[in-house]
Amino acid sequence: MLEKRKSGNFKILNLGEMAFTRLDSRCLYTLLICMAFGSTLSSNAEINVNAPQDFEIVDPGYLGYLYLQWQRPLSLDNFKECTVEYELKYRNIDSENWKTVITKNLCYKDGFDLNKGVEAKIRTLLPGQCTNGSEVQSSWAEVTYWTSLQGNLGTKIQDMDCIYYNWQDLLCSWKSGMGVHFDTNYNLFYWYEGLHHALQCADYIKVNGKNIGCRFPYLESSDYKDFYICVNGSSESEPIRPSYFIFQLQNIVKPLPPDYLSLIVKSSEDISLKWNMPRGPIPAKCFIYEIKFTEDDTTWVTTTVENEIYIARTSNESKRLCFLVRQKYL
């Protein structure tokens, strides 16, 4: 074995010591790398976040337009500089599909069919830039909501029908529930965004003193919005189950028939059929017209966007010609 000697400030090692020293340095370096990597994993694994607090569904009395609201979760002090988001899912209980919303707010509003229950769930989301690169999600907070289900199903109104005549006059009608007591009467309430509270029908259609429909007043700024209706009832003999409806007025428009239908026979074969559009707020470009023409025992139907059409008779011997014109809102 070679001896160790000192020369100045240098230490001379033998071959065995040199090999051991190099091996020891590599192991130490590898150990440091492993420790650093292990520390990063441990840091990520410890990051978690709570679900939102006080999650609830609030009914403000708008006949189906509900508020879903919550509070920030606890233990967010370490993430004050982060933008916290919430994933909200909700549906009517018998629906197959959830509606999903990602929001930074603490409240969300939407319409629901209150003939059925409502269920919703929410969780907190922390973005990757706040959690070393991967999004962190909390567990779900869940809530359900039901309106009062008093009264048997048979006490609800039947055959509810609403028509918005010529985009001006809304009329709804219904039939009484099956087997209800003779003293049962129904009341209609409605709401749409822009009203401060739900209103009761002020002009009922009555038969034998019972309400069987409603004529609505002028509905300012009500188009292209969800229109909510509730028809409930009262009876001294039994509770009455309420009925809820949601629709948009432009989808139930029924235009008036054309005005001043005129027929001009230009020759033995050619006939000109012309009519005027009825007065009202609906623009002419929004109509399509259906014409039904019967000649003896032959009938055919055609459509046009114009308010005039030329028709050729198939026979000069025709004994009966009949024309019907109606219009449809596109």
Side-chain angles (χ1 to χ4, degrees):
M1 175 181 290
L2 297 176
E3 293 182 357
K4 295 184 284 185
R5 301 192 303 276
K6 292 184 179 179
S7 175
N9 292 328
F10 295 92
K11 181 179 180 181
I12 301 175
L13 303 177
N14 60 31
L15 183 61
E17 284 182 311
M18 292 175 66
F20 177 80
T21 302
R22 290 177 180 172
L23 178 61
D24 184 65
S25 297
R26 286 196 298 270
C27 288
L28 180 60
Y29 182 62
T30 303
L31 179 61
L32 289 172
I33 294 176
C34 292
M35 290 178 63
F37 185 68
S39 175
T40 301
L41 289 177
S42 175
S43 176
N44 277 342
E46 292 175 357
I47 296 176
N48 56 69
V49 63
N50 292 332
Q53 300 183 85
D54 304 325
F55 184 37
E56 60 180 344
I57 298 176
V58 177
D59 186 349
Y62 297 152
L63 314 180
Y65 189 69
L66 304 180
Y67 297 173
L68 292 80
Q69 56 191 41
W70 57 93
Q71 298 297 325
R72 284 173 59 88
L74 297 171
S75 66
L76 283 181
D77 292 341
N78 295 331
F79 303 99
K80 291 181 178 179
E81 303 302 322
C82 294
T83 301
V84 179
E85 293 184 331
Y86 306 96
E87 181 180 7
L88 173 66
K89 291 180 177 287
Y90 59 92
R91 65 180 179 181
N92 276 111
I93 285 180
D94 67 340
S95 174
E96 295 182 358
N97 300 318
W98 293 87
K99 291 184 178 180
T100 301
V101 175
I102 304 296
T103 180
K104 300 174 185 177
N105 300 321
L106 299 177
C107 182
Y108 192 80
K109 305 173 184 180
D110 205 351
F112 296 87
D113 180 0
L114 292 189
N115 296 299
K116 310 163 187 174
V118 177
E119 59 182 341
K121 56 185 180 179
I122 193 170
R123 62 182 176 182
T124 311
L125 305 177
L126 286 180
Q129 60 266 30
C130 300
T131 58
N132 296 329
S134 60
E135 183 181 75
V136 174
Q137 304 169 342
S138 74
S139 59
W140 291 101
E142 302 183 7
V143 67
T144 59
Y145 176 79
W146 291 85
T147 58
S148 173
L149 297 179
Q150 65 176 2
N152 296 322
L153 281 174
T155 63
K156 296 175 63 171
I157 62 167
Q158 305 178 76
D159 302 333
M160 180 69 159
D161 184 33
C162 293
I163 300 175
Y164 199 23
Y165 287 100
N166 210 39
W167 210 312
Q168 290 176 306
D169 302 310
L170 176 62
L171 188 148
C172 292
S173 61
W174 60 83
K175 296 179 181 178
S176 297
M178 298 179 61
V180 294
H181 198 263
F182 74 91
D183 70 343
T184 301
N185 203 4
Y186 295 94
N187 299 296
L188 181 146
F189 297 84
Y190 65 95
W191 181 85
Y192 58 88
E193 190 173 359
L195 297 180
H196 297 298
H197 55 83
L199 300 177
Q200 184 176 181
C201 175
D203 186 11
Y204 283 108
I205 302 169
K206 297 177 179 287
V207 172
N208 297 325
K210 306 296 183 181
N211 300 333
I212 58 106
C214 176
R215 299 182 188 90
F216 289 78
Y218 172 69
L219 302 169
E220 183 178 2
S221 302
S222 58
D223 303 334
Y224 301 100
K225 298 177 180 179
D226 286 338
F227 196 94
Y228 298 83
I229 285 179
C230 172
V231 181
N232 60 21
S234 61
S235 170
E236 295 183 357
S237 304
E238 59 181 337
I240 305 300
R241 178 76 65 94
S243 298
Y244 295 90
F245 306 89
I246 308 174
F247 51 83
Q248 293 197 354
L249 296 184
Q250 75 277 0
N251 296 331
I252 59 170
V253 171
K254 183 174 183 178
L256 297 176
D259 285 338
Y260 307 113
L261 183 63
S262 63
L263 182 68
I264 300 175
V265 179
K266 293 194 171 184
S267 67
S268 60
E269 297 180 355
D270 296 329
I271 297 174
S272 173
L273 190 64
K274 191 173 183 178
W275 56 91
N276 294 336
M277 192 187 81
R279 295 179 180 179
I282 306 176
K285 63 182 180 181
C286 296
F287 286 117
I288 187 172
Y289 303 96
E290 181 182 88
I291 298 91
K292 184 177 181 181
F293 172 46
T294 300
E295 184 177 7
D296 290 336
D297 295 328
T298 302
T299 299
W300 56 264
V301 177
T302 188
T303 58
T304 179
V305 294
E306 304 294 334
N307 66 332
E308 184 176 9
I309 190 172
Y310 293 92
I311 298 172
R313 299 173 60 182
T314 60
S315 172
N316 291 333
E317 305 299 325
S318 301
K319 295 181 180 180
R320 184 173 63 92
L321 300 175
C322 181
F323 301 90
L324 298 174
V325 182
R326 63 179 178 178
Q327 56 192 20
K328 177 182 178 182
Y329 169 69
L330 294 175

